[in-house]
Amino acid sequence: QVQLVESGGGLVQAGDSLRLSCAASGLIFSSVAMGWFRQAPGKEREFVALINWSGSSTYYADSVKGRFTISRDNAKNTAILQVNSLKPEDTAVYYCAAGIGTYPRITYILWGQGTQVTVAS
């Protein structure tokens, strides 16, 4: 079955950290770029971070630069989003997505179901 499954979300306090994981199955993981997006209540889904197929290039939204780190382990078919210094405005459902192409022209072909991150002030 071709799927992405996120995990690692939760309820934390402002300033805390979380490690979000995205486990891929049924696709050639090392051939796709991996992105993270988030959607807060009442807002549009927004881009958070992207890592290319090899892990040699990463890209971040300005709002998370310096606090979030995206990485991947192609041997384990896993993408990671390390989120530090969390703020209440980071509260959202976080989604991972597999994409093809070269940043910024990425076509996302597969999405996970999302993991909730809630940051209390």
Side-chain angles (χ1 to χ4, degrees), residues 9-106:
L11 171 62
V12 297
Q13 297 295 313
D16 285 350
S17 299
L18 285 172
R19 186 173 184 265
L20 307 183
S21 295
C22 174
S25 59
L27 73 162
I28 303 175
F29 185 72
S30 59
S31 68
V32 296
M34 292 299 299
W36 284 92
F37 292 75
R38 65 186 181 185
Q39 187 167 19
K43 295 188 176 181
E44 297 285 322
R45 185 175 297 188
E46 65 173 354
F47 169 79
V48 174
L50 176 79
I51 188 166
N52 73 338
W53 66 273
S54 67
S56 62
S57 298
T58 57
Y59 309 89
Y60 297 92
D62 288 343
S63 59
V64 306
K65 280 181 182 176
R67 299 189 298 122
F68 291 13
T69 302
I70 189 171
S71 61
R72 67 188 297 159
D73 185 338
N74 285 347
K76 296 182 178 179
N77 288 358
T78 301
I80 301 294
L81 187 68
Q82 178 68 39
V83 296
N84 299 329
S85 302
L86 282 162
K87 306 174 182 180
E89 52 264 44
D90 293 319
T91 295
V93 178
Y94 284 71
Y95 299 89
C96 65
I100 55 176
T102 302
Y103 185 85
R105 291 177 295 277
I106 301 288

